[in-house]
């Protein structure tokens, strides 16, 4: 009888027992991935993080702030994770990663005013480009050879600078570009840059079990079509279907 009761209790227990640790998720205003609406933090990245944290049995807090501050907090504070974060070689060992929340192409945008954009990357390098302070796109721009880079605190300010003529070009993802067009912003593609993976970047002192649970639940969300449904709810195309990626390897 004791064995039967024990078996019954185990069968009724949640698949992921709650962890004692509380994780701190921080992000920026960057619609449609993370943004505030009616006093609530929402977006494509936010919904994925909330879904996988709940499924993994992980308690968490979530806060929105300027990107540079959020990124610095995840670098310096244990059990703190920042999203939606671009993954690159330089950042690989700075964090432990849960990916991909997003897989996308990077593009340089220009004003949709009838003017010609740069015909070549060599020509683009002579122009003034705007981005966000602490954003991985700044590193990509510098790697390409851009030197006249104007930094803003958030993407909304970068867009305003582009539309007002204070900068000539602005890098962003294809999905963000499509969202801007849906909002009626007069922007258009000037040229493609490169592909990019985005994810949840956690401080290296984040419990390994928590990171592993989050990655497993994200893999499941991708494979069961949940990630596609979240993208569709925001009117954007789905990610390339995969739960396998090199970026998830921990240092």
């Amino acid at each position: 009888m004791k064995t039967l009761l024990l078996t019954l209790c185990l069968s009724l227990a949640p698949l992921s027992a709650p962890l004692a640790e509380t994780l701190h998720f921080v992000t920026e205003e960057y619609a449609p991935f993370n943004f505030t609406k009616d006093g609530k933090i929402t977006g494509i990245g936010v919904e994925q993080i909330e879904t996988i944290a709940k499924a993994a049995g992980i308690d968490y807090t979530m806060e929105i702030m300027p990107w540079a501050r959020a990124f610095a907090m995840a670098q310096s504070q244990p059990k703190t994770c920042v999203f939606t974060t671009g993954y690159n070689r330089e950042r690989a060992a700075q964090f432990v990663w849960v990916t991909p929340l997003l897989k996308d192409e990077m593009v340089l945008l220009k004003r949709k005013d009838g003017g010609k954009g740069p015909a070549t990357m060599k020509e683009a390098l002579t122009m003034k480009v705007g981005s966000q302070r602490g954003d991985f796109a700044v590193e990509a721009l510098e790697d390409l050879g851009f030197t006249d880079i104007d930094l803003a605190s958030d993407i909304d300010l970068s867009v305003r600078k582009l539309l007002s003529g204070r900068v000539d070009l602005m890098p962003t993802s294809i999905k963000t570009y499509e969202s801007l067009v849906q909002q009626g912003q007069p922007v258009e593609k000037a040229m493609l840059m490169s592909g990019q993976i985005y994810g949840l970047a956690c401080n290296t002192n984040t419990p390994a079990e928590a990171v592993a649970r989050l990655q497993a639940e994200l893999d499941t969300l991708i494979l069961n079509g949940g990630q596609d449904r979240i993208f569709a709810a925001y009117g954007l195309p789905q990610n390339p279907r995969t739960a396998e990626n090199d970026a998830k390897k921990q240092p």
Side-chain angles (χ1 to χ4, degrees), residues 62 89 93 134 159 162 183 192 208:
M62 188 175 292
R89 191 173 303 172
V159 172
L162 179 66
Q183 296 169 31
L192 289 173

Side-chain angles (χ1 to χ4, degrees), residues 20-31:
E21 296 88 351
T22 296
L23 299 189
H24 308 289
F25 298 135
V26 291
T27 188
E28 64 172 335
E29 293 279 358
Y30 199 121

Side-chain angles (χ1 to χ4, degrees), residues 16 27 33 62 65 76 105 161 188 192 230 232:
S16 294
T27 188
F33 304 106
M62 188 175 292
M65 61 187 68
S76 61
E105 294 288 328
K161 288 181 177 182
E188 60 185 358
L192 289 173
I230 291 172

Side-chain angles (χ1 to χ4, degrees), residues 105-200:
E105 294 288 328
M106 290 294 294
V107 64
L108 282 170
L109 301 185
K110 62 179 285 292
R111 293 181 299 281
K112 192 175 183 179
D113 56 7
K116 290 185 176 180
T120 64
M121 182 58 72
K122 183 176 180 180
E123 182 181 351
L125 292 175
T126 67
M127 305 173 78
K128 188 169 188 175
V129 62
S131 188
Q132 293 75 249
R133 189 172 294 106
D135 194 281
F136 87 97
V138 177
E139 301 168 21
L141 292 169
E142 291 173 341
D143 288 344
L144 287 169
F146 283 92
T147 56
D148 193 359
I149 303 175
D150 182 277
L151 298 179
S153 59
D154 58 56
I155 189 173
D156 291 338
L157 184 53
S158 291
V159 172
R160 290 199 294 271
K161 288 181 177 182
L162 179 66
L163 298 182
S164 68
R166 291 175 60 185
V167 299
D168 303 306
L169 302 168
M170 188 190 88
T172 191
S173 70
I174 288 287
K175 287 186 173 68
T176 298
Y177 160 67
E178 291 169 345
S179 177
L180 290 172
V181 171
Q182 289 176 4
Q183 296 169 31
Q185 297 285 12
V187 297
E188 60 185 358
K189 290 181 284 187
M191 63 174 53
L192 289 173
M193 292 176 64
S194 61
Q196 184 64 46
I197 289 175
Y198 301 78
L200 179 70

